[in-house]
Amino acid sequence: MARLGCIADDFTGATDLANNLVRAGMRVVQLIGVPTDAERSSLGAGLTDCDAIVVALKSRTIEPAAAVEQSLAACDWLLGCGVEQIYFKYCSTFDSTPKGNIGPVIDALCKHLNAPFTIATPAFPDNHRSVFMGHLFVGEQLLSDSGMKNHPLTPMTDSNLVRVLQSQSSSRVGLISSAVVRKGSAEIANAMMRLQADGIQSAIVDAITNEDLLHIGKASKGLRLVTAGSGLAIGLPQNWNIAPNDRSAALPTAAGRSAIISGSCSLATNAQVADFIARGGRALAVDAMRVAAGQPVVQQALSWAHGQPSDAPILIYSTAESGAIRAVQSELGVEAAGQMIEKTLADIARELVGAGVGRLVVAGGETSGACVASLGIKLMQIGPQIDPGVPWCYAQSEHGGVHIALKSGNFGTTDFFTKAFAMLD
Ligand code: ADP
């Protein structure tokens, strides 16, 4: 039976959290959105045979009222699964707008869970995010000096998280500083009680090292709600006597053909596509202009795939460099071009799995969302990590079981595609 119920405010962030929980020893399943009652009964054993459930929402930048509504629905659903603690997961750079949604969701969850106090710690030292005196650092830079100051949707221009969260929250926000955290879990728990007695609902908690996160995790044992980036995940399983082990990442044996669908145009993915081709990998480029012209691109990709040796991984990609993308975007519009290519790649992914692909790597956050939806995947069992933030997963699709790895654009080493399949072998 699951003990920990997690609500993540975006899709790849959910996988990042699930990956960290697995590495800390939990068996984890990730759900795409809140299941309906009918879906719940079809998910069956997947939901009971795990230690943590992560519900992936897409609530980071939507209207605060909608984010609250979706988060409360996810919370109720997780409580219905019998979880003992709720973990609200946001980005390790505290991505939010002046309206929220971190503050409004924390306020609503505290009220809903009757939780008088919670913590807020986005620190993730393994990923170079640390919090000191309430200030968030990205590597050696303050958050407000980092690239996050120019983020198109959630520009972060204040590094003082106490101030940021206070501006979004209707309750008082406090701080548990590094000096306390370093003294260990008992001191942190005392500080939590003192702050709560002073009428403070949530506290930013400093963390610079993994050891800090382990202390904070232990001190959080009695909290009904914790809120954090994915880093805190390493500190919670110990509260249920769960430690890192070989079994948590076990997946069924992989079978079927191997394929990669790549719709990410990030620098990292461009390099990964080039590396796969340079190694002699079989690859087919999808031309956006041909899709726009109504050419039968999906059918052509499928017949190309059928012509390849069944033991060779194949790559089908729209990945391109910025000049080519801009040309397509100026012709079709940014959003229309993106959606059209996502749909084409998702159709190809569904047909490939229907035709016997059993190991699928998808590159690109939005592309992954489109492929998972098109495959009818609702639940993913989280397996071993390929590269930080990207685990192999196992899911039931409309065409049966499939091993799937969803790589957000900038993740993964240059040889990611080759490495991913070698791991399953
Ligand atoms: P990332 O994780 O790198 O941001 P996403 O999949 O989230 O990748 O986003 C990439 C976007 O670019 C998608 O909407 C995709 O459909 C679009 N896209 C992919 N290839 C092209 C292309 N050749 N021209 C224009 N847009 C493209």
Side-chain angles (χ1 to χ4, degrees):
M1 175 90 102
R3 280 88 180 269
L4 182 65
C6 310
I7 305 163
D9 69 354
D10 90 333
F11 188 87
T12 42
T15 310
D16 184 14
L17 170 62
N19 184 51
N20 279 352
L21 289 169
V22 167
R23 290 195 306 141
M26 284 186 146
R27 295 163 308 147
V28 182
V29 297
Q30 180 178 329
L31 299 170
I32 319 303
V34 181
T36 60
D37 287 344
E39 284 165 354
R40 181 182 181 147
S41 49
S42 72
L43 297 175
L47 291 174
T48 45
D49 200 16
C50 63
D51 303 307
I53 302 173
V54 180
V55 175
L57 300 179
K58 211 169 183 295
S59 57
R60 185 169 294 168
T61 52
I62 61 177
E63 277 302 306
V68 164
E69 190 186 324
Q70 290 181 20
S71 304
L72 292 182
C75 178
D76 278 338
W77 193 86
L78 289 163
L79 294 174
C81 294
V83 303
E84 295 157 22
Q85 188 171 52
I86 296 287
Y87 185 143
F88 170 44
K89 149 75 173 73
Y90 35 77
C91 189
S92 62
T93 40
F94 218 68
D95 298 16
S96 48
T97 69
K99 289 198 282 184
N101 292 329
I102 297 177
V105 171
I106 292 179
D107 287 351
L109 286 171
C110 277
K111 191 163 169 223
H112 197 66
L113 290 164
N114 211 2
F117 181 81
T118 189
I119 55 166
T121 184
F124 188 8
D126 281 352
N127 218 7
H128 313 292
R129 306 316 191 228
S130 44
V131 181
F132 181 68
M133 296 300 170
H135 287 66
L136 178 54
F137 289 81
V138 177
E140 293 177 359
Q141 287 180 312
L142 278 166
L143 175 68
S144 51
D145 291 331
S146 77
M148 280 306 297
K149 69 179 175 204
N150 296 321
H151 191 283
L153 301 177
T154 53
M156 300 303 291
T157 53
D158 188 355
S159 310
N160 181 335
L161 298 185
V162 176
R163 200 158 51 205
V164 172
L165 185 56
Q166 187 63 82
S167 72
Q168 298 176 14
S169 172
S170 54
S171 303
R172 288 175 59 209
V173 179
L175 172 69
I176 299 179
S177 72
S178 185
V180 174
V181 172
R182 265 184 281 132
K183 287 186 189 152
S185 57
E187 282 298 318
I188 301 170
N190 284 339
M192 290 177 179
M193 281 193 301
R194 276 198 304 277
L195 289 173
Q196 186 182 327
D198 285 349
I200 285 178
Q201 175 189 266
S202 45
I204 301 293
V205 188
D206 281 357
I208 300 162
T209 63
N210 281 345
E211 199 185 358
D212 291 341
L213 290 172
L214 291 171
H215 290 323
I216 298 166
K218 196 167 178 195
S220 304
K221 186 171 182 180
L223 297 180
R224 190 83 165 123
L225 172 70
V226 296
T227 87
S230 65
L232 183 70
I234 67 166
L236 294 179
Q238 60 182 327
N239 294 333
W240 290 280
N241 294 323
I242 295 173
N245 62 76
D246 295 341
R247 299 171 313 280
S248 61
L251 296 180
T253 308
R257 294 186 63 173
S258 302
I260 305 149
I261 296 287
S262 180
S264 160
C265 297
S266 70
L267 288 176
T269 307
N270 268 288
Q272 288 156 349
V273 166
D275 180 81
F276 179 82
I277 295 170
R279 289 168 190 265
R282 287 154 195 273
L284 178 75
V286 169
D287 179 348
M289 296 313 276
R290 292 191 65 238
V291 180
Q295 303 276 330
V297 171
V298 175
Q299 291 76 357
Q300 285 166 356
L302 293 173
S303 45
W304 172 82
H306 289 312
Q308 305 306 312
S310 61
D311 59 349
I314 55 168
L315 163 65
I316 297 178
Y317 66 100
S318 67
T319 303
E321 284 170 5
S322 51
I325 299 163
R326 270 198 295 277
V328 174
Q329 288 175 335
S330 63
E331 185 83 16
L332 304 173
V334 175
E335 212 168 301
Q339 284 175 6
M340 182 191 75
I341 297 167
E342 282 166 32
K343 178 168 182 341
T344 303
L345 294 178
D347 286 348
I348 294 172
R350 188 187 57 239
E351 296 301 322
L352 285 177
V353 171
V357 164
R359 311 157 207 233
L360 181 68
V361 173
V362 186
E366 295 298 326
T367 309
S368 292
C371 288
V372 162
S374 140
L375 285 162
I377 291 173
K378 296 283 177 220
L379 179 147
M380 302 195 306
Q381 185 186 338
I382 309 296
Q385 170 176 297
I386 308 164
D387 265 330
V390 199
W392 269 113
C393 305
Y394 179 75
Q396 284 300 329
S397 75
E398 278 168 7
H399 300 295
V402 58
H403 283 71
I404 187 163
L406 306 171
K407 186 193 84 70
S408 98
N410 274 318
F411 284 12
T413 54
T414 305
D415 62 348
F416 181 86
F417 298 144
T418 310
K419 183 164 69 179
F421 295 121
M423 235 179 110
L424 280 188
D425 290 341

